[in-house]
Amino acid sequence: MKLYAQKSTIDYIVSATPMGEIEGFPVRPGMFDVNGAMVLPNGVNFTVHTHYGTYCELLLFHKGEEEPYAVLPFPEAYKIGDVYSMIVFGLDIEQFEYAYRIDGPYDPDKGLLFDRKKVLLDPYARAIVANRTWGEKKRGDYHARVVKDLFDWGDMPQSSREMSDLVIYELHVRGFTADPSSGVKHRGTFAGLKEKIPYLKKLGINAVELMPIFEFDETVNTRERNGKKLIEYWGYNTVGFFAPNSCYASSPEKEYNCEGTELKELIRELHENEIEVILDVVFNHTAEGNERGPMFSFKGFDNKIYYMLTPAGNYYNFSGCGNTLNCNHPVVQQMILECLRYWIVNYRVDGFRFDLASILGRNEDGSPMNNPPLLKSLAYDPLLRNVKLIAEVWDAGGMYQVGCFPASRRWAEWNGRYRDSLRAFLKGNNWESWNAAWSISGSGDLYGGFYPDYNGSYAGYNSCVNFFTCHDGFTLYDLYAYNEKHNEENGWDNTDGNDDNRSWNCGVEGDTNDPEVLKLRFRMIRNACAILMCSRGTPMFLAGDEFGNTQYGNNNCYCQDNEMSWLDWSLLEKNHELFEFFRFMIQYRQEHAVIRKRLPDAVCGMDPLHMHNLNADDMTIPRDARTLSVSFAGYDKQKGKDDMVYVSVNTYWEDVEITLPNLNKKGAWYLSVNTYGDGDGRYYYKEGEETQIDGKFILRPRSVAVFTGREF
């Protein structure tokens, strides 16, 4: 009896030799457990799978051509289970593109849409050829390229920062530098963003959250409005999950087989500047849309598997975008896991923010699951162990899971209550006072850990991402310049976008030259910034908020690829004072670990965390409080002294006197931040410049004050 040792993948790559010929190409069965296309020393391995399909053929194209120069059917012997795999020898990956055609039953009522004539993009494509430039519709079908990863990451270590130590800066790669005022050479690209790294470093943030950078089709639903072309600018219409958006590259890749080099260079330089990279990923739907949408990949491979379908074969639409990815089907689970692993290993990203993540917890029939297998597998995957996982914990189907997202002790959540309650409280809705106080304190009522352990265990303050603004909604300036949304330029008669903005125009709707109104607006912006940076949890803010960027009241700029969405960098000089305030507050947060996490008990005896009424000794906040305070205290072992911070918020339109905690002659309080100002244009004070406060303080109208406690 002969014993055959199983060949390792490496042996296979090195020693594989042809066993047959198809259409003049030497071939042999490939590596069935390696999805996608993989370059070998002597050929290329192509592996795809389809459950309901009955026939598969590989199409090879010359670069830029629409008709294949070769069609290679997969023999039955080149199939195991649902997987087709074939090595094609003698291919030069710089000289061709590829796609597939799949045949099978066509029965729409059962969700089966196979069409042997359709050219299909590999779901695992690492580089996608769209044959277009930004904003132009693709010419012909999507093709893929085979890539060889030649990028050397060296021995760059993975970040060890905790979530609570991050200050996240959400930005759109194109919109960040597209405007001429950005002053960069490569506007609207990965390279353009790289040019702005010194600015990010100066601002002080340590994480960027990039809005979708996977290959997407911004030309879906292109239309005209008042002479402007409206497109799907934000990028939430994914074409392929494994490939970076080719239109974000500043020029064609230096080497045809090194796709993604510009993005990798960006990520490496961000890391070298101690800035983490979080990707906004869209696993809730794809660009194939509903029954009227195109078929270019997933529908043609296995429509019934990749999408949630009704019993009649129609698409469930929990995404609001036509279809819903069937995330908890084992095949789709596997693809998502492989995708995240790919971006971690090959692009060294530090985390993922999951758009409409509640969909990830829906069963194949659309019903919510108590313990979704996808979320559990991502939470415990070894390669994802130290990666940040952030969920937008709602979807367009009505699920809202703030504080109750499954596997929340591994996942962080966008804290929608923080946004809503503090927006409302700051503008004067005093009935939100309790929710506002809880939110500043770390939302312990939602996430637990009101007094979290300081021994390194995962606690509530690692579970929430606090924010006032994000891409979806008003900018921070617009939050205090508009009472109502103004989305008329989107072409939907102002019916799109959120109506519950909890904004306040400070007396005048939109643009104004009134100095008192502008003074109040910028004070309200400083209030929001100060509270955000002094709240327990992970702060996030929208790019441009730090210098008063505006979208002119549009709170749904998804289709505006123009000055409405692009950052106006001239405002940086105009509102430089605001920029410096943001810088200070970010630095202040980083200097005070007690804001970010529970420390050992303070030597002075002050409690670790409390909410306070006007008098610090009164720790019961009235239901309709206009003024409240939150205190943080603990012993900072690194500094060898107590760390104490007292944050006070006055939403009333008159002065209010407050009493600070009594430090029992062991220390004193110093005024570090006063958003009302001192009359000389000063809103913050560095250590050594502060004024000592003796017990009582007058909080000016609609202002925030931050006090630092120091031992004698």
Side-chain angles (χ1 to χ4, degrees):
M1 182 176 69
K2 291 184 178 181
L3 296 177
Y4 294 93
Q6 183 178 3
K7 275 186 177 292
S8 70
T9 300
I10 294 177
D11 290 338
Y12 207 162
I13 291 174
V14 173
S15 64
T17 57
M19 296 182 66
E21 184 178 287
I22 301 177
E23 300 296 321
F25 289 87
V27 297
R28 69 168 294 143
M31 292 175 287
F32 291 85
D33 57 349
V34 180
N35 285 313
M38 176 181 180
V39 62
L40 308 177
N42 46 4
V44 178
N45 182 82
F46 298 93
T47 302
V48 292
H49 54 77
T50 172
H51 180 70
Y52 293 102
T54 58
Y55 170 87
C56 177
E57 58 189 20
L58 171 69
L59 311 179
L60 302 179
F61 302 83
H62 292 302
K63 289 194 299 183
E65 298 294 329
E66 287 301 313
E67 291 298 321
Y69 70 84
V71 178
L72 284 67
F74 283 79
E76 193 64 25
Y78 288 41
K79 180 183 180 184
I80 297 178
D82 292 335
V83 181
Y84 295 89
S85 187
M86 175 167 54
I87 297 175
V88 182
F89 293 85
L91 293 177
D92 181 353
I93 66 172
E94 296 186 13
Q95 300 301 319
F96 78 94
E97 301 160 1
Y98 77 96
Y100 295 98
R101 286 198 290 242
I102 305 290
D103 199 7
Y106 180 80
D107 189 345
D109 292 341
K110 295 182 179 179
L112 303 172
L113 301 178
F114 291 100
D115 183 348
R116 188 168 178 168
K117 297 179 181 179
K118 283 288 185 181
V119 175
L120 301 177
L121 176 67
D122 183 358
Y124 283 79
R126 267 57 171 178
I128 296 174
V129 183
N131 291 327
R132 64 182 178 85
T133 57
W134 173 267
E136 296 181 1
K137 287 186 176 294
K138 65 180 177 63
R139 301 185 300 275
D141 300 306
Y142 286 111
H143 300 162
R145 293 174 177 170
V146 182
V147 301
K148 181 188 291 184
D149 189 357
L150 301 179
F151 197 83
D152 184 5
W153 291 97
D155 60 354
M156 182 192 307
Q158 189 177 31
S159 174
S160 59
R161 284 196 193 99
E162 293 185 18
M163 273 292 302
S164 58
D165 290 330
L166 296 185
V167 176
I168 301 175
Y169 187 72
E170 188 197 34
L171 64 87
H172 187 282
V173 169
R174 176 169 169 81
F176 194 62
T177 61
D179 193 86
S181 63
S182 66
V184 303
K185 180 180 179 182
H186 303 290
R187 289 161 42 196
T189 66
F190 294 129
L193 175 53
K194 182 181 173 183
E195 294 179 63
K196 283 293 188 181
I197 290 178
Y199 170 82
L200 299 176
K201 188 76 171 176
K202 182 179 181 180
L203 178 59
I205 57 94
N206 55 18
V208 291
E209 182 175 300
L210 305 181
M211 288 175 65
I213 63 164
F214 294 175
E215 188 69 58
F216 62 83
D217 184 3
E218 75 278 3
T219 67
V220 172
N221 302 319
T222 297
R223 51 205 165 87
E224 295 285 333
R225 167 77 178 177
N226 293 335
K228 291 184 178 180
K229 183 166 69 171
L230 304 183
I231 61 176
E232 299 283 325
Y233 161 77
W234 277 352
Y236 291 94
N237 270 302
T238 308
V239 169
F241 294 103
F242 292 80
N245 189 336
S246 55
C247 289
Y248 282 171
S250 63
S251 61
E253 298 289 77
K254 297 176 183 177
E255 298 291 337
Y256 186 75
N257 59 358
C258 294
E259 296 296 332
T261 300
E262 188 170 307
L263 174 57
K264 292 172 184 175
E265 289 174 347
L266 166 64
I267 293 172
R268 180 170 62 187
E269 188 154 334
L270 285 166
H271 284 172
E272 289 173 351
N273 284 274
E274 300 183 324
I275 299 174
E276 297 189 15
V277 178
I278 298 169
L279 300 186
D280 189 346
V281 292
V282 189
F283 291 115
N284 55 73
H285 74 284
T286 77
E288 289 188 304
N290 58 17
E291 294 82 1
R292 296 181 297 277
M295 176 194 293
F296 58 77
S297 183
F298 306 98
K299 285 182 178 179
F301 273 98
D302 262 317
N303 181 63
K304 193 172 182 177
I305 284 177
Y306 284 105
Y307 297 109
M308 289 185 192
L309 302 179
T310 69
N314 298 317
Y315 295 91
Y316 282 116
N317 188 19
F318 300 115
S319 68
C321 298
N323 64 54
T324 306
L325 209 60
N326 195 9
C327 297
N328 282 294
H329 188 286
V331 169
V332 186
Q333 285 184 57
Q334 178 184 340
M335 182 191 70
I336 293 173
L337 180 58
E338 287 189 52
C339 175
L340 299 181
R341 285 182 158 204
Y342 177 76
W343 285 95
I344 292 167
V345 172
N346 293 276
Y347 286 85
R348 302 299 170 91
V349 301
D350 302 284
F352 303 95
R353 176 264 185 189
F354 294 80
D355 182 62
L356 298 182
S358 289
I359 285 175
L360 276 62
R362 289 187 181 271
N363 208 337
E364 294 181 53
D365 62 359
S367 60
M369 305 177 75
N370 292 326
N371 191 20
L374 173 62
L375 299 184
K376 189 172 183 179
S377 66
L378 299 185
Y380 290 99
D381 183 75
L383 269 177
L384 303 183
R385 175 65 178 85
N386 297 319
V387 171
K388 279 78 175 179
L389 302 177
I390 304 171
E392 182 185 34
V393 286
W394 49 83
D395 65 24
M399 283 184 68
Y400 187 79
Q401 297 177 296
V402 172
C404 60
F405 190 68
S408 61
R409 292 186 68 84
R410 172 63 179 90
W411 289 67
E413 299 178 10
W414 268 23
N415 190 347
R417 191 195 66 177
Y418 182 98
R419 174 199 60 203
D420 295 342
S421 64
L422 279 168
R423 279 187 176 191
F425 183 63
L426 276 187
K427 77 167 191 164
N429 294 356
N430 49 300
W431 56 86
E432 287 280 5
S433 59
W434 286 3
N435 284 335
W438 275 109
S439 295
I440 296 171
S441 303
S443 299
D445 58 329
L446 293 179
Y447 302 107
F450 186 69
Y451 294 109
D453 199 351
Y454 54 79
N455 63 5
S457 64
Y458 214 89
Y461 52 77
N462 267 329
S463 294
C464 65
V465 174
N466 300 324
F467 65 106
F468 278 86
T469 59
C470 63
H471 67 277
D472 191 0
F474 281 144
T475 67
L476 195 53
Y477 179 84
D478 289 357
L479 192 64
Y480 299 111
Y482 296 91
N483 281 348
E484 307 292 339
K485 66 184 183 184
H486 294 269
N487 299 356
E488 291 83 3
E489 290 303 307
N490 293 353
W492 307 114
D493 296 325
N494 205 32
T495 59
D496 62 306
N498 196 349
D499 292 313
D500 183 18
N501 296 289
R502 309 188 184 201
S503 60
W504 178 43
N505 65 16
C506 296
V508 176
E509 188 76 358
D511 289 340
T512 181
N513 292 320
D514 188 321
E516 291 303 313
V517 172
L518 291 173
K519 186 177 178 180
L520 178 56
R521 285 180 180 176
F522 280 97
R523 189 193 321 156
M524 296 296 289
I525 293 172
R526 290 192 295 273
N527 290 347
C529 174
I531 291 173
L532 181 64
M533 295 305 161
C534 289
S535 296
R536 190 159 282 178
T538 303
M540 181 192 77
F541 64 99
L542 179 64
D545 280 349
E546 71 275 16
F547 53 73
N549 194 62
T550 178
Q551 293 175 171
Y552 309 101
N554 192 318
N555 74 351
N556 188 32
C557 279
Y558 77 100
C559 57
Q560 299 290 341
D561 179 34
N562 51 54
E563 293 83 359
M564 185 176 288
S565 285
W566 301 345
L567 295 198
D568 179 359
W569 288 89
S570 69
L571 294 171
L572 176 59
E573 181 178 357
K574 179 181 179 181
N575 300 324
H576 194 72
E577 188 179 75
L578 179 61
F579 170 78
E580 291 296 336
F581 185 83
F582 267 78
R583 281 189 70 201
F584 177 84
M585 289 309 312
I586 292 170
Q587 183 179 5
Y588 185 85
R589 178 182 179 84
Q590 300 295 10
E591 290 175 351
H592 292 277
V594 74
I595 298 175
R596 308 191 305 273
K597 63 193 71 178
R598 166 75 187 270
L599 300 178
D601 289 347
V603 174
C604 69
M606 190 172 169
D607 288 336
L609 176 63
H610 264 304
M611 307 172 191
H612 307 265
N613 200 347
L614 299 179
N615 187 326
D617 293 334
D618 182 0
M619 298 178 186
T620 59
I621 299 177
R623 182 69 178 178
D624 59 350
R626 294 189 178 101
T627 306
L628 59 84
S629 300
V630 175
S631 63
F632 305 99
Y635 182 75
D636 190 330
K637 292 181 179 179
Q638 289 187 340
K639 295 182 178 179
K641 60 182 180 180
D642 281 350
D643 189 5
M644 296 171 286
V645 174
Y646 196 77
V647 184
S648 298
V649 185
N650 179 24
T651 65
Y652 197 38
W653 54 85
E654 295 180 359
D655 290 348
V656 174
E657 183 180 80
I658 63 170
T659 302
L660 299 176
N662 186 352
L663 296 181
N664 300 317
K665 299 183 179 181
K666 296 180 181 179
W669 291 102
Y670 296 83
L671 179 64
S672 296
V673 177
N674 181 4
T675 63
Y676 194 89
D678 60 2
D680 294 324
R682 295 197 68 181
Y683 304 103
Y684 58 87
Y685 307 89
K686 298 178 181 178
E687 185 172 352
E689 300 175 350
E690 310 107 319
T691 300
Q692 183 175 329
I693 306 300
D694 296 323
K696 297 183 183 299
F697 182 80
I698 301 297
L699 272 177
R700 302 306 306 277
R702 299 191 184 279
S703 70
V704 173
V706 181
F707 307 90
T708 304
R710 294 195 180 92
E711 302 168 84
F712 292 135

